């Protein structure tokens, strides 16, 4: 892709450059892989019939997550009435990551989950994983559940830098 600003032409030449943006004289770019790729940034300036060209080879970082969207298996989780669980029932959550290049990917083994349950006595209970069941909550049944917050984070490590995006989802669970 070629970008022009104030009579200066910038061009990018490289492998898997999936995102590039020119702001003033700064080029931000990423690639669609999980590792750094080299890209050559060529700058050309023309004035009065003379043309000057220079280039630099840079490492372009891979795509990285910028946000996480969490979806419950029961959509009543996010409704005002919340989800009512009976003995043997559970609710699970899935998550997708939105990357800086606009692509979307499922959060699988790289996703780190916590479910925080708030109780009427002011206490909290933290559950690891992306599922909460009636049996996990039953011990605390003497305290009314006043809220549940689900958190999922997704981290990429490209060898030079780690990037983490985190998503949250709030709702209510009651026990029948």
């Amino acid at each position: 892709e070629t970008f022009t600003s104030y009579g200066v032409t910038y061009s990018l030449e490289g492998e898997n450059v999936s995102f590039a943006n020119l702001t003033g004289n700064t080029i931000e770019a990423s690639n669609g892989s999980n590792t750094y790729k080299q890209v050559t940034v060529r700058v050309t300036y023309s004035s009065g019939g003379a043309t000057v060209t220079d280039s630099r080879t840079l490492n372009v970082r891979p795509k990285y997550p910028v946000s996480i969207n969490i979806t419950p298996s029961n959509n009543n989780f996010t409704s005002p009435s919340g989800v009512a669980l009976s003995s043997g029932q559970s609710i699970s959550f899935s998550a997708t990551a939105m990357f800086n290049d606009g692509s979307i990917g499922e959060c699988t083994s790289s996703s780190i989950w916590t479910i925080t349950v708030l109780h009427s006595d002011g206490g909290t209970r933290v559950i690891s994983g992306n599922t909460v069941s009636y049996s996990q909550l039953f011990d605390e049944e003497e305290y009314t559940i006043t809220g549940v917050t689900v958190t999922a984070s997704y981290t990429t490590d490209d060898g030079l830098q780690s990037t983490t995006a985190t998503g949250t989802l709030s709702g209510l669970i009651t026990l029948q």
Side-chain angles (χ1 to χ4, degrees):
E1 297 183 50
T2 302
F3 305 87
T4 303
S5 176
Y6 309 113
V8 179
T9 300
Y10 298 83
S11 63
L12 302 179
E13 303 163 4
E15 182 183 357
N16 295 331
V17 178
S18 62
F19 168 82
N21 185 45
L22 173 65
T23 304
N25 63 349
T26 301
I27 293 178
E28 178 187 18
S30 71
N31 66 70
S33 71
N34 292 324
T35 59
Y36 273 76
K37 299 286 185 181
Q38 286 191 332
V39 62
T40 299
V41 180
R42 191 173 309 281
V43 182
T44 304
Y45 176 72
S46 296
S47 178
T51 299
V52 178
T53 299
D54 195 9
S55 64
R56 293 286 185 273
T57 299
L58 307 172
N59 283 323
V60 177
R61 69 174 305 179
K63 66 180 183 179
Y64 55 91
V66 293
S67 64
I68 303 294
N69 182 46
I70 302 172
T71 305
S73 60
N74 185 329
N75 289 330
N76 289 330
F77 177 79
T78 55
S79 72
S81 60
V83 174
L85 295 182
S86 299
S87 181
Q89 290 185 327
S90 63
I91 181 171
S92 61
F93 303 90
S94 58
T96 54
M98 173 71 76
F99 293 90
N100 62 307
D101 64 356
S103 65
I104 298 174
E106 290 291 325
C107 296
T108 55
S109 59
S110 298
S111 184
I112 300 173
W113 295 86
T114 57
I115 298 173
T116 305
V117 183
L118 310 176
H119 296 281
S120 57
D121 68 340
T124 61
R125 183 172 189 179
V126 178
I127 299 169
S128 297
N130 66 332
T131 301
V132 60
S133 66
Y134 178 93
S135 61
Q136 288 174 301
L137 301 174
F138 183 75
D139 290 342
E140 303 288 344
E141 190 178 15
E142 62 269 25
Y143 303 113
T144 304
I145 297 172
T146 58
V148 178
T149 301
V150 182
T151 304
S153 61
Y154 185 87
T155 300
T156 57
D157 186 354
D158 47 46
L160 296 178
Q161 176 175 341
S162 293
T163 303
T164 301
T166 301
T168 60
L169 179 67
S170 298
L172 182 63
I173 296 176
T174 57
L175 303 181
Q176 291 181 335

